[in-house]
């Protein structure tokens, strides 16, 4: 009886993970909460766009640069597989084929990582966001 329960719970957990991975697969634009370099300002209309392309366990650039005080659309495009981006020490997360408006009021450097387990090289998917 315990073995059947364990199998059922495992199958249910797998189904939930698969459903979560498939959710929000449209190309819509998202604006996340206020993480303007700890200032608490909300992101608003964008001044420019930066496209981040993810493929084969790497981002297309090691560094992405934006200007402090400007609202920028960060767009994630995957050239293979499903990926996501988290900007560490912020609340900014970008899903596969999504755009998120971000704003940082002060200069600084932020680490970006892939936040979707995407295979054997997932741990090496890192880049920097440099706010100038």
């Amino acid at each position: 009886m315990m073995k059947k329960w364990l199998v059922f719970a495992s199958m249910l957990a797998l189904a939930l993970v698969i459903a979560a991975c498939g959710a929000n697969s449209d190309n819509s634009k998202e604006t996340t909460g206020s993480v303007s370099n700890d200032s608490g300002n909300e992101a608003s209309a964008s001044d420019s766009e930066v496209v981040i392309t993810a493929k084969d366990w790497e981002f297309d650039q090691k560094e992405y640069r934006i200007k402090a005080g400007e609202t920028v659309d960060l767009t994630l495009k995957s050239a293979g597989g499903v990926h996501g981006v988290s900007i560490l020490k912020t609340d900014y997360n970008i899903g596969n084929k999504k755009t998120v408006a971000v704003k940082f009021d002060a200069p600084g450097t932020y680490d970006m990582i892939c936040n979707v387990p995407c295979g054997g090289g997932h741990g090496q998917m890192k880049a920097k966001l440099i706010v100038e």
Side-chain angles (χ1 to χ4, degrees):
M1 181 71 169
M2 184 65 159
K3 188 174 182 177
K4 286 183 182 180
W5 175 249
L6 183 60
V7 170
F8 174 74
S10 297
M11 296 296 285
L12 181 60
L14 180 61
L16 290 173
V17 168
I18 291 171
C21 289
N24 296 328
S25 61
D26 61 61
N27 289 330
S28 64
K29 179 177 176 180
E30 296 177 359
T31 302
T32 61
S34 58
V35 181
S36 299
N37 206 14
D38 298 323
S39 71
N41 295 335
E42 291 287 329
S44 61
S46 298
D47 298 313
S48 62
E49 179 181 31
V50 172
V51 177
I52 302 166
T53 302
K55 65 178 175 111
D56 298 328
W57 307 297
E58 66 182 1
F59 296 112
D60 64 326
Q61 298 179 38
K62 296 289 182 193
E63 297 178 348
Y64 300 88
R65 295 180 182 271
I66 64 173
K67 293 185 188 256
E70 287 188 1
T71 301
V72 176
D73 283 343
L74 290 181
T75 301
L76 176 64
K77 295 188 177 181
S78 293
V82 176
H83 301 282
V85 172
S86 286
I87 303 173
L88 301 182
K89 297 185 181 178
T90 75
D91 290 334
Y92 291 126
N93 293 295
I94 309 165
N96 194 41
K97 299 180 183 175
K98 295 282 185 172
T99 297
V100 174
V102 301
K103 181 179 180 184
F104 295 87
D105 291 331
T109 300
Y110 295 85
D111 292 320
M112 298 189 322
I113 61 168
C114 179
N115 61 11
V116 176
C118 57
H122 170 71
Q124 285 75 45
M125 286 193 72
K126 299 175 185 177
K128 301 240 182 243
L129 178 65
I130 299 172
V131 181
E132 303 176 311

